[in-house]
Amino acid sequence: KQWYQRRVRAPWRTLPLMFGMAAFAFEGAGVVIPTESSMKQPEKFNKVLVFVLVCATFMYIAFGVLLYLAFGPQTGLSTGQITENLEQFANHRADKAFWHFIQSLVRFCLVAGIGMSVTVQLIVVLDIFEKELFKPGRLSTNNIYWKENIIRGFVTLIGLALAASGLSFGHMVSLTGAFSGTLMQFIFPCACYLKCFEGELSTVYKIAVWGMAVVGGIFGALATYVTLVEIFS
Protein backbone atom coordinates (compact mmCIF):
# COMPACT_ATOMS: atom_id res chain seq x y z
CA LYS A 1 0.00 0.00 0.00
CA GLN A 2 0.95 3.62 -0.52
CA TRP A 3 1.66 5.62 2.63
CA TYR A 4 -1.68 7.45 2.42
CA GLN A 5 -3.55 4.10 2.34
CA ARG A 6 -2.12 2.86 5.64
CA ARG A 7 -4.57 1.89 8.36
CA VAL A 8 -4.09 4.35 11.21
CA ARG A 9 -6.32 2.61 13.78
CA ALA A 10 -4.48 0.22 16.11
CA PRO A 11 -6.19 -2.63 18.03
CA TRP A 12 -7.27 -1.68 21.57
CA ARG A 13 -5.37 -4.64 22.99
CA THR A 14 -2.10 -2.89 22.11
CA LEU A 15 -2.95 0.16 24.28
CA PRO A 16 -1.43 -1.32 27.50
CA LEU A 17 1.76 -2.19 25.58
CA MET A 18 1.92 1.39 24.35
CA PHE A 19 1.55 2.67 27.93
CA GLY A 20 4.46 0.51 29.09
CA MET A 21 6.66 1.66 26.21
CA ALA A 22 5.76 5.30 26.83
CA ALA A 23 6.58 4.94 30.54
CA PHE A 24 9.95 3.45 29.58
CA ALA A 25 10.63 6.14 26.98
CA PHE A 26 10.07 8.99 29.44
CA GLU A 27 11.77 7.31 32.39
CA GLY A 28 14.39 9.61 33.82
CA ALA A 29 13.55 9.95 37.49
CA GLY A 30 17.00 8.71 38.45
CA VAL A 31 18.80 11.51 36.63
CA VAL A 32 16.56 14.50 37.40
CA ILE A 33 18.14 15.48 40.72
CA PRO A 34 21.78 14.85 39.60
CA THR A 35 21.12 16.90 36.45
CA GLU A 36 19.67 19.84 38.37
CA SER A 37 22.44 19.81 40.96
CA SER A 38 25.13 19.82 38.27
CA MET A 39 23.67 22.77 36.34
CA LYS A 40 25.48 26.11 36.41
CA GLN A 41 22.08 27.86 36.64
CA PRO A 42 19.76 25.38 38.41
CA GLU A 43 16.99 27.98 38.58
CA LYS A 44 16.43 27.40 34.85
CA PHE A 45 15.97 23.66 35.31
CA ASN A 46 12.17 23.71 34.91
CA LYS A 47 12.38 25.49 31.57
CA VAL A 48 15.05 23.08 30.35
CA LEU A 49 13.02 20.08 31.52
CA VAL A 50 9.86 21.26 29.74
CA PHE A 51 11.82 21.99 26.54
CA VAL A 52 13.45 18.54 26.58
CA LEU A 53 10.13 16.76 27.20
CA VAL A 54 8.40 18.65 24.38
CA CYS A 55 11.23 17.85 21.94
CA ALA A 56 11.35 14.20 23.03
CA THR A 57 7.57 13.83 22.66
CA PHE A 58 7.65 15.33 19.17
CA MET A 59 10.49 13.03 18.09
CA TYR A 60 8.84 9.91 19.51
CA ILE A 61 5.56 10.67 17.73
CA ALA A 62 7.20 11.70 14.46
CA PHE A 63 9.49 8.66 14.42
CA GLY A 64 6.64 6.23 15.08
CA VAL A 65 4.30 7.81 12.53
CA LEU A 66 6.91 7.98 9.77
CA LEU A 67 7.98 4.36 10.28
CA TYR A 68 4.39 3.13 10.25
CA LEU A 69 3.68 5.07 7.09
CA ALA A 70 6.75 3.44 5.53
CA PHE A 71 6.32 -0.18 6.66
CA GLY A 72 2.70 -0.44 7.80
CA PRO A 73 1.56 -3.30 10.07
CA GLN A 74 4.86 -5.11 9.43
CA THR A 75 6.80 -2.56 11.48
CA GLY A 76 9.02 -4.55 13.86
CA LEU A 77 6.58 -7.46 13.57
CA SER A 78 8.57 -10.33 15.08
CA THR A 79 11.33 -8.74 17.15
CA GLY A 80 9.85 -5.34 17.94
CA GLN A 81 12.84 -3.57 16.37
CA ILE A 82 12.87 -1.30 13.34
CA THR A 83 16.24 -2.78 12.33
CA GLU A 84 14.34 -5.87 11.17
CA ASN A 85 12.44 -3.75 8.64
CA LEU A 86 15.63 -2.05 7.52
CA GLU A 87 17.16 -5.45 6.77
CA GLN A 88 14.13 -6.48 4.69
CA PHE A 89 14.24 -3.13 2.91
CA ALA A 90 17.96 -3.49 2.18
CA ASN A 91 17.51 -6.98 0.70
CA HIS A 92 15.18 -5.58 -1.96
CA ARG A 93 17.45 -2.73 -2.99
CA ALA A 94 20.03 -2.73 -5.74
CA ASP A 95 22.51 -0.93 -3.48
CA LYS A 96 22.31 -3.55 -0.69
CA ALA A 97 25.74 -2.77 0.73
CA PHE A 98 24.84 0.84 1.48
CA TRP A 99 21.55 0.00 3.19
CA HIS A 100 23.11 -2.82 5.19
CA PHE A 101 25.65 -0.26 6.40
CA ILE A 102 22.77 2.05 7.40
CA GLN A 103 21.15 -0.85 9.25
CA SER A 104 24.36 -1.59 11.12
CA LEU A 105 24.79 2.10 11.94
CA VAL A 106 21.26 2.30 13.33
CA ARG A 107 21.87 -0.79 15.47
CA PHE A 108 25.11 0.68 16.80
CA CYS A 109 23.39 3.98 17.68
CA LEU A 110 20.54 2.08 19.34
CA VAL A 111 22.90 0.02 21.48
CA ALA A 112 25.04 3.06 22.32
CA GLY A 113 22.00 5.16 23.25
CA ILE A 114 20.48 2.51 25.49
CA GLY A 115 23.84 1.62 27.03
CA MET A 116 24.70 5.20 27.88
CA SER A 117 21.27 6.17 29.21
CA VAL A 118 20.84 3.04 31.32
CA THR A 119 24.36 3.46 32.70
CA VAL A 120 23.59 7.01 33.82
CA GLN A 121 20.37 5.90 35.52
CA LEU A 122 22.07 2.94 37.20
CA ILE A 123 24.74 5.19 38.74
CA VAL A 124 22.17 6.66 41.13
CA VAL A 125 20.53 3.30 41.88
CA LEU A 126 23.82 1.49 42.49
CA ASP A 127 25.18 4.35 44.57
CA ILE A 128 22.19 4.13 46.96
CA PHE A 129 22.35 0.32 46.99
CA GLU A 130 26.08 0.25 47.74
CA LYS A 131 25.79 2.82 50.54
CA GLU A 132 23.14 0.64 52.20
CA LEU A 133 25.16 -2.52 51.59
CA PHE A 134 28.38 -1.21 53.13
CA LYS A 135 26.87 0.42 56.21
CA PRO A 136 28.58 -0.41 59.55
CA GLY A 137 27.55 -3.86 60.71
CA ARG A 138 26.92 -5.13 57.22
CA LEU A 139 29.54 -5.90 54.57
CA SER A 140 33.14 -4.97 55.34
CA THR A 141 34.58 -1.97 53.52
CA ASN A 142 37.90 -3.74 53.00
CA ASN A 143 38.72 -3.84 49.27
CA ILE A 144 35.52 -1.88 48.67
CA TYR A 145 36.67 -0.85 45.19
CA TRP A 146 36.73 -4.46 43.98
CA LYS A 147 33.50 -5.34 45.78
CA GLU A 148 31.67 -2.45 44.14
CA ASN A 149 32.95 -3.47 40.72
CA ILE A 150 31.88 -7.09 41.31
CA ILE A 151 28.37 -5.88 42.16
CA ARG A 152 28.21 -3.70 39.05
CA GLY A 153 29.58 -6.53 36.93
CA PHE A 154 26.89 -8.84 38.31
CA VAL A 155 24.17 -6.32 37.41
CA THR A 156 25.65 -6.08 33.92
CA LEU A 157 25.58 -9.87 33.55
CA ILE A 158 21.90 -9.89 34.53
CA GLY A 159 21.23 -7.37 31.78
CA LEU A 160 23.19 -9.44 29.26
CA ALA A 161 21.29 -12.58 30.27
CA LEU A 162 17.97 -10.82 29.71
CA ALA A 163 19.15 -9.50 26.36
CA ALA A 164 20.21 -13.01 25.27
CA SER A 165 17.03 -14.68 26.56
CA GLY A 166 15.22 -14.25 23.24
CA LEU A 167 12.58 -11.85 24.56
CA SER A 168 11.14 -9.43 22.03
CA PHE A 169 12.73 -6.03 22.43
CA GLY A 170 9.30 -4.42 22.40
CA HIS A 171 8.01 -6.71 25.15
CA MET A 172 11.11 -6.13 27.28
CA VAL A 173 10.74 -2.37 26.96
CA SER A 174 7.02 -2.52 27.70
CA LEU A 175 7.49 -4.76 30.76
CA THR A 176 10.23 -2.52 32.18
CA GLY A 177 8.16 0.60 31.67
CA ALA A 178 4.91 -0.93 32.91
CA PHE A 179 6.41 -2.21 36.15
CA SER A 180 9.34 -0.04 37.24
CA GLY A 181 8.47 3.00 35.11
CA THR A 182 4.98 3.21 36.60
CA LEU A 183 6.33 2.98 40.14
CA MET A 184 8.97 5.66 39.51
CA GLN A 185 6.72 8.07 37.60
CA PHE A 186 3.29 7.71 39.17
CA ILE A 187 3.23 5.83 42.47
CA PHE A 188 6.37 6.89 44.39
CA PRO A 189 6.38 10.59 43.36
CA CYS A 190 2.72 11.02 44.32
CA ALA A 191 3.22 9.21 47.63
CA CYS A 192 6.30 11.30 48.50
CA TYR A 193 4.59 14.54 47.46
CA LEU A 194 1.53 13.84 49.60
CA LYS A 195 3.73 12.94 52.57
CA CYS A 196 6.09 15.93 52.25
CA PHE A 197 3.29 18.50 51.87
CA GLU A 198 0.79 16.87 54.20
CA GLY A 199 -1.51 19.52 55.64
CA GLU A 200 -0.57 22.14 53.02
CA LEU A 201 -2.56 20.81 50.04
CA SER A 202 -6.17 21.59 49.24
CA THR A 203 -8.72 18.81 48.88
CA VAL A 204 -8.93 19.31 45.13
CA TYR A 205 -5.15 19.09 44.80
CA LYS A 206 -5.04 15.91 46.89
CA ILE A 207 -7.74 14.33 44.72
CA ALA A 208 -5.75 15.25 41.59
CA VAL A 209 -2.54 13.70 42.97
CA TRP A 210 -4.36 10.58 44.17
CA GLY A 211 -6.07 10.34 40.77
CA MET A 212 -2.72 10.45 39.02
CA ALA A 213 -1.36 7.68 41.24
CA VAL A 214 -4.46 5.48 40.87
CA VAL A 215 -4.73 5.88 37.10
CA GLY A 216 -1.00 5.26 36.67
CA GLY A 217 -1.18 2.21 38.93
CA ILE A 218 -4.15 0.73 37.07
CA PHE A 219 -2.58 1.24 33.65
CA GLY A 220 0.77 -0.05 34.92
CA ALA A 221 -0.79 -3.22 36.34
CA LEU A 222 -2.81 -3.78 33.17
CA ALA A 223 0.23 -3.19 30.95
CA THR A 224 2.32 -5.58 33.05
CA TYR A 225 -0.36 -8.27 32.80
CA VAL A 226 -0.88 -7.88 29.05
CA THR A 227 2.86 -7.87 28.36
CA LEU A 228 3.41 -11.05 30.42
CA VAL A 229 0.53 -12.73 28.57
CA GLU A 230 2.09 -11.70 25.24
CA ILE A 231 5.51 -13.02 26.32
CA PHE A 232 4.28 -16.43 27.48
CA SER A 233 1.66 -16.93 24.79
Side-chain angles (χ1 to χ4, degrees), residues 85-101:
N85 297 98
L86 292 177
E87 183 175 3
Q88 296 171 357
F89 178 76
N91 290 334
H92 292 85
R93 300 284 298 186
D95 48 349
K96 289 184 180 181
F98 172 76
W99 286 104
H100 278 298
F101 168 75

PDB file of all heavy atoms in Angstrom, residues 85-101:
ATOM      1  N   ASN A  85      13.007  -4.298   9.860  1.00  0.00           N
ATOM      2  CA  ASN A  85      12.440  -3.752   8.635  1.00  0.00           C
ATOM      3  C   ASN A  85      13.510  -3.179   7.730  1.00  0.00           C
ATOM      4  O   ASN A  85      13.426  -3.279   6.502  1.00  0.00           O
ATOM      5  CB  ASN A  85      11.407  -2.673   8.968  1.00  0.00           C
ATOM      6  CG  ASN A  85      10.233  -3.224   9.741  1.00  0.00           C
ATOM      7  OD1 ASN A  85      10.198  -3.114  10.957  1.00  0.00           O
ATOM      8  ND2 ASN A  85       9.275  -3.837   9.057  1.00  0.00           N
ATOM      9  N   LEU A  86      14.540  -2.588   8.332  1.00  0.00           N
ATOM     10  CA  LEU A  86      15.632  -2.052   7.521  1.00  0.00           C
ATOM     11  C   LEU A  86      16.360  -3.161   6.776  1.00  0.00           C
ATOM     12  O   LEU A  86      16.784  -2.987   5.631  1.00  0.00           O
ATOM     13  CB  LEU A  86      16.612  -1.279   8.411  1.00  0.00           C
ATOM     14  CG  LEU A  86      16.089   0.020   9.029  1.00  0.00           C
ATOM     15  CD1 LEU A  86      17.136   0.629   9.943  1.00  0.00           C
ATOM     16  CD2 LEU A  86      15.704   1.009   7.940  1.00  0.00           C
ATOM     17  N   GLU A  87      16.500  -4.312   7.432  1.00  0.00           N
ATOM     18  CA  GLU A  87      17.160  -5.451   6.770  1.00  0.00           C
ATOM     19  C   GLU A  87      16.323  -5.943   5.594  1.00  0.00           C
ATOM     20  O   GLU A  87      16.855  -6.220   4.514  1.00  0.00           O
ATOM     21  CB  GLU A  87      17.369  -6.577   7.781  1.00  0.00           C
ATOM     22  CG  GLU A  87      18.120  -7.765   7.197  1.00  0.00           C
ATOM     23  CD  GLU A  87      18.420  -8.820   8.251  1.00  0.00           C
ATOM     24  OE1 GLU A  87      17.985  -8.648   9.407  1.00  0.00           O
ATOM     25  OE2 GLU A  87      19.087  -9.809   7.910  1.00  0.00           O
ATOM     26  N   GLN A  88      15.007  -6.060   5.780  1.00  0.00           N
ATOM     27  CA  GLN A  88      14.132  -6.479   4.695  1.00  0.00           C
ATOM     28  C   GLN A  88      14.168  -5.470   3.554  1.00  0.00           C
ATOM     29  O   GLN A  88      14.177  -5.841   2.371  1.00  0.00           O
ATOM     30  CB  GLN A  88      12.709  -6.644   5.215  1.00  0.00           C
ATOM     31  CG  GLN A  88      12.545  -7.745   6.249  1.00  0.00           C
ATOM     32  CD  GLN A  88      11.169  -7.745   6.895  1.00  0.00           C
ATOM     33  OE1 GLN A  88      10.336  -6.881   6.602  1.00  0.00           O
ATOM     34  NE2 GLN A  88      10.932  -8.709   7.779  1.00  0.00           N
ATOM     35  N   PHE A  89      14.187  -4.189   3.919  1.00  0.00           N
ATOM     36  CA  PHE A  89      14.244  -3.130   2.913  1.00  0.00           C
ATOM     37  C   PHE A  89      15.549  -3.200   2.125  1.00  0.00           C
ATOM     38  O   PHE A  89      15.555  -3.080   0.896  1.00  0.00           O
ATOM     39  CB  PHE A  89      14.116  -1.774   3.611  1.00  0.00           C
ATOM     40  CG  PHE A  89      14.211  -0.591   2.686  1.00  0.00           C
ATOM     41  CD1 PHE A  89      13.157  -0.247   1.873  1.00  0.00           C
ATOM     42  CD2 PHE A  89      15.382   0.168   2.629  1.00  0.00           C
ATOM     43  CE1 PHE A  89      13.241   0.845   1.013  1.00  0.00           C
ATOM     44  CE2 PHE A  89      15.479   1.255   1.784  1.00  0.00           C
ATOM     45  CZ  PHE A  89      14.402   1.596   0.969  1.00  0.00           C
ATOM     46  N   ALA A  90      16.654  -3.437   2.835  1.00  0.00           N
ATOM     47  CA  ALA A  90      17.962  -3.494   2.175  1.00  0.00           C
ATOM     48  C   ALA A  90      18.054  -4.664   1.214  1.00  0.00           C
ATOM     49  O   ALA A  90      18.677  -4.551   0.140  1.00  0.00           O
ATOM     50  CB  ALA A  90      19.069  -3.599   3.226  1.00  0.00           C
ATOM     51  N   ASN A  91      17.425  -5.788   1.553  1.00  0.00           N
ATOM     52  CA  ASN A  91      17.509  -6.977   0.699  1.00  0.00           C
ATOM     53  C   ASN A  91      16.795  -6.806  -0.627  1.00  0.00           C
ATOM     54  O   ASN A  91      17.030  -7.577  -1.565  1.00  0.00           O
ATOM     55  CB  ASN A  91      16.934  -8.190   1.439  1.00  0.00           C
ATOM     56  CG  ASN A  91      17.820  -8.629   2.595  1.00  0.00           C
ATOM     57  OD1 ASN A  91      19.028  -8.398   2.580  1.00  0.00           O
ATOM     58  ND2 ASN A  91      17.226  -9.244   3.603  1.00  0.00           N
ATOM     59  N   HIS A  92      15.921  -5.817  -0.727  1.00  0.00           N
ATOM     60  CA  HIS A  92      15.175  -5.582  -1.958  1.00  0.00           C
ATOM     61  C   HIS A  92      15.693  -4.366  -2.720  1.00  0.00           C
ATOM     62  O   HIS A  92      15.047  -3.895  -3.653  1.00  0.00           O
ATOM     63  CB  HIS A  92      13.687  -5.400  -1.656  1.00  0.00           C
ATOM     64  CG  HIS A  92      13.019  -6.647  -1.157  1.00  0.00           C
ATOM     65  ND1 HIS A  92      13.023  -7.017   0.171  1.00  0.00           N
ATOM     66  CD2 HIS A  92      12.352  -7.629  -1.824  1.00  0.00           C
ATOM     67  CE1 HIS A  92      12.368  -8.157   0.313  1.00  0.00           C
ATOM     68  NE2 HIS A  92      11.951  -8.551  -0.880  1.00  0.00           N
ATOM     69  N   ARG A  93      16.849  -3.877  -2.314  1.00  0.00           N
ATOM     70  CA  ARG A  93      17.447  -2.726  -2.994  1.00  0.00           C
ATOM     71  C   ARG A  93      18.643  -3.154  -3.820  1.00  0.00           C
ATOM     72  O   ARG A  93      19.325  -4.129  -3.502  1.00  0.00           O
ATOM     73  CB  ARG A  93      17.898  -1.680  -1.958  1.00  0.00           C
ATOM     74  CG  ARG A  93      16.797  -1.137  -1.073  1.00  0.00           C
ATOM     75  CD  ARG A  93      15.926  -0.140  -1.783  1.00  0.00           C
ATOM     76  NE  ARG A  93      16.704   1.040  -2.204  1.00  0.00           N
ATOM     77  CZ  ARG A  93      16.163   2.118  -2.756  1.00  0.00           C
ATOM     78  NH1 ARG A  93      14.862   2.160  -2.975  1.00  0.00           N
ATOM     79  NH2 ARG A  93      16.915   3.140  -3.097  1.00  0.00           N
ATOM     80  N   ALA A  94      18.880  -2.413  -4.898  1.00  0.00           N
ATOM     81  CA  ALA A  94      20.032  -2.729  -5.739  1.00  0.00           C
ATOM     82  C   ALA A  94      21.331  -2.401  -5.004  1.00  0.00           C
ATOM     83  O   ALA A  94      22.332  -3.121  -5.141  1.00  0.00           O
ATOM     84  CB  ALA A  94      19.947  -1.945  -7.049  1.00  0.00           C
ATOM     85  N   ASP A  95      21.329  -1.332  -4.232  1.00  0.00           N
ATOM     86  CA  ASP A  95      22.510  -0.932  -3.475  1.00  0.00           C
ATOM     87  C   ASP A  95      22.440  -1.524  -2.062  1.00  0.00           C
ATOM     88  O   ASP A  95      22.354  -0.804  -1.063  1.00  0.00           O
ATOM     89  CB  ASP A  95      22.649   0.584  -3.426  1.00  0.00           C
ATOM     90  CG  ASP A  95      21.335   1.280  -3.046  1.00  0.00           C
ATOM     91  OD1 ASP A  95      20.294   0.601  -3.032  1.00  0.00           O
ATOM     92  OD2 ASP A  95      21.370   2.491  -2.755  1.00  0.00           O
ATOM     93  N   LYS A  96      22.463  -2.857  -1.977  1.00  0.00           N
ATOM     94  CA  LYS A  96      22.314  -3.546  -0.691  1.00  0.00           C
ATOM     95  C   LYS A  96      23.391  -3.157   0.308  1.00  0.00           C
ATOM     96  O   LYS A  96      23.121  -2.993   1.495  1.00  0.00           O
ATOM     97  CB  LYS A  96      22.350  -5.062  -0.901  1.00  0.00           C
ATOM     98  CG  LYS A  96      21.127  -5.649  -1.572  1.00  0.00           C
ATOM     99  CD  LYS A  96      21.252  -7.171  -1.616  1.00  0.00           C
ATOM    100  CE  LYS A  96      20.027  -7.786  -2.289  1.00  0.00           C
ATOM    101  NZ  LYS A  96      20.110  -9.263  -2.326  1.00  0.00           N
ATOM    102  N   ALA A  97      24.625  -3.030  -0.178  1.00  0.00           N
ATOM    103  CA  ALA A  97      25.742  -2.770   0.732  1.00  0.00           C
ATOM    104  C   ALA A  97      25.522  -1.472   1.514  1.00  0.00           C
ATOM    105  O   ALA A  97      25.757  -1.422   2.728  1.00  0.00           O
ATOM    106  CB  ALA A  97      27.045  -2.694  -0.053  1.00  0.00           C
ATOM    107  N   PHE A  98      25.046  -0.437   0.824  1.00  0.00           N
ATOM    108  CA  PHE A  98      24.839   0.843   1.482  1.00  0.00           C
ATOM    109  C   PHE A  98      23.765   0.737   2.560  1.00  0.00           C
ATOM    110  O   PHE A  98      23.952   1.216   3.693  1.00  0.00           O
ATOM    111  CB  PHE A  98      24.446   1.911   0.452  1.00  0.00           C
ATOM    112  CG  PHE A  98      24.032   3.220   1.064  1.00  0.00           C
ATOM    113  CD1 PHE A  98      24.976   4.087   1.582  1.00  0.00           C
ATOM    114  CD2 PHE A  98      22.683   3.561   1.140  1.00  0.00           C
ATOM    115  CE1 PHE A  98      24.592   5.291   2.165  1.00  0.00           C
ATOM    116  CE2 PHE A  98      22.298   4.764   1.712  1.00  0.00           C
ATOM    117  CZ  PHE A  98      23.251   5.627   2.225  1.00  0.00           C
ATOM    118  N   TRP A  99      22.652   0.088   2.237  1.00  0.00           N
ATOM    119  CA  TRP A  99      21.549   0.001   3.189  1.00  0.00           C
ATOM    120  C   TRP A  99      21.851  -0.948   4.339  1.00  0.00           C
ATOM    121  O   TRP A  99      21.360  -0.767   5.452  1.00  0.00           O
ATOM    122  CB  TRP A  99      20.256  -0.395   2.473  1.00  0.00           C
ATOM    123  CG  TRP A  99      19.725   0.747   1.673  1.00  0.00           C
ATOM    124  CD1 TRP A  99      19.787   0.913   0.324  1.00  0.00           C
ATOM    125  CD2 TRP A  99      19.094   1.925   2.187  1.00  0.00           C
ATOM    126  NE1 TRP A  99      19.233   2.110  -0.054  1.00  0.00           N
ATOM    127  CE2 TRP A  99      18.787   2.750   1.078  1.00  0.00           C
ATOM    128  CE3 TRP A  99      18.752   2.354   3.460  1.00  0.00           C
ATOM    129  CZ2 TRP A  99      18.164   3.977   1.230  1.00  0.00           C
ATOM    130  CZ3 TRP A  99      18.116   3.575   3.609  1.00  0.00           C
ATOM    131  CH2 TRP A  99      17.822   4.378   2.502  1.00  0.00           C
ATOM    132  N   HIS A 100      22.669  -1.969   4.079  1.00  0.00           N
ATOM    133  CA  HIS A 100      23.110  -2.819   5.185  1.00  0.00           C
ATOM    134  C   HIS A 100      24.030  -2.042   6.122  1.00  0.00           C
ATOM    135  O   HIS A 100      24.016  -2.266   7.348  1.00  0.00           O
ATOM    136  CB  HIS A 100      23.819  -4.065   4.653  1.00  0.00           C
ATOM    137  CG  HIS A 100      22.874  -5.149   4.229  1.00  0.00           C
ATOM    138  ND1 HIS A 100      22.007  -5.750   5.107  1.00  0.00           N
ATOM    139  CD2 HIS A 100      22.658  -5.730   3.025  1.00  0.00           C
ATOM    140  CE1 HIS A 100      21.298  -6.667   4.472  1.00  0.00           C
ATOM    141  NE2 HIS A 100      21.666  -6.671   3.206  1.00  0.00           N
ATOM    142  N   PHE A 101      24.812  -1.129   5.561  1.00  0.00           N
ATOM    143  CA  PHE A 101      25.647  -0.259   6.395  1.00  0.00           C
ATOM    144  C   PHE A 101      24.765   0.651   7.251  1.00  0.00           C
ATOM    145  O   PHE A 101      25.037   0.849   8.447  1.00  0.00           O
ATOM    146  CB  PHE A 101      26.573   0.583   5.514  1.00  0.00           C
ATOM    147  CG  PHE A 101      27.263   1.690   6.258  1.00  0.00           C
ATOM    148  CD1 PHE A 101      28.331   1.428   7.112  1.00  0.00           C
ATOM    149  CD2 PHE A 101      26.831   3.004   6.116  1.00  0.00           C
ATOM    150  CE1 PHE A 101      28.954   2.447   7.812  1.00  0.00           C
ATOM    151  CE2 PHE A 101      27.454   4.035   6.805  1.00  0.00           C
ATOM    152  CZ  PHE A 101      28.512   3.753   7.658  1.00  0.00           C
TER     153      PHE A 101
END
